[in-house]
């Protein structure tokens, strides 16, 4: 199975404040990376906690596949 490129954006309700990409095996691996990024943001940028920020995961095509809050809540929305 070919690897896919995924993009991880730190967003508040509609603003991308940071973006990065990675080549990963599948959507499950991308969700795991998003959860790890959320933990990292909580630790390194505690001022963003409680303000509605999320890690948004997109495939290279732009399709959103996952969002997880940086507030420590479980992943949600568009879980495919």
């Amino acid at each position: 199975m070919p690897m896919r490129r995924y993009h991880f954006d730190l967003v508040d309700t509609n603003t991308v404040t940071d973006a990065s990409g990675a080549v990963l095996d599948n959507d499950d691996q991308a969700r795991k990376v998003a959860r790890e990024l959320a933990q990292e943001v909580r630790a390194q940028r505690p001022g963003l906690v409680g303000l509605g920020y999320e890690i948004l995961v997109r495939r290279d095509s732009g399709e959103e596949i996952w969002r997880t809050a940086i507030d420590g809540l479980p992943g949600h929305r568009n879980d495919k």
Side-chain angles (χ1 to χ4, degrees), residues 3-10 16 18-25 29-30 33-34 37 55-61:
M3 296 180 80
R4 295 181 175 176
R5 177 165 294 281
Y6 293 88
H7 298 273
F8 302 88
D9 305 323
L10 176 61
V16 175
D18 193 13
S20 62
V23 176
L24 303 169
D25 290 327
Q29 191 175 15
V33 169
L37 285 171
I55 302 295
L56 164 67
V57 182
R58 298 177 289 114
R59 290 189 182 115
D60 209 24
S61 65

Side-chain angles (χ1 to χ4, degrees), residues 33-79:
V33 169
R35 287 189 295 271
E36 291 169 356
L37 285 171
Q39 291 174 348
E40 186 176 316
V41 170
R42 277 195 305 276
Q44 293 183 6
R45 297 176 72 180
L48 298 180
V49 174
L51 299 178
Y53 281 88
E54 301 175 310
I55 302 295
L56 164 67
V57 182
R58 298 177 289 114
R59 290 189 182 115
D60 209 24
S61 65
E63 177 186 3
E64 179 180 326
I65 62 162
W66 178 260
R67 285 181 183 239
T68 190
I70 67 162
D71 296 344
L73 303 173
H76 62 286
R77 297 201 317 209
N78 293 332
D79 182 17

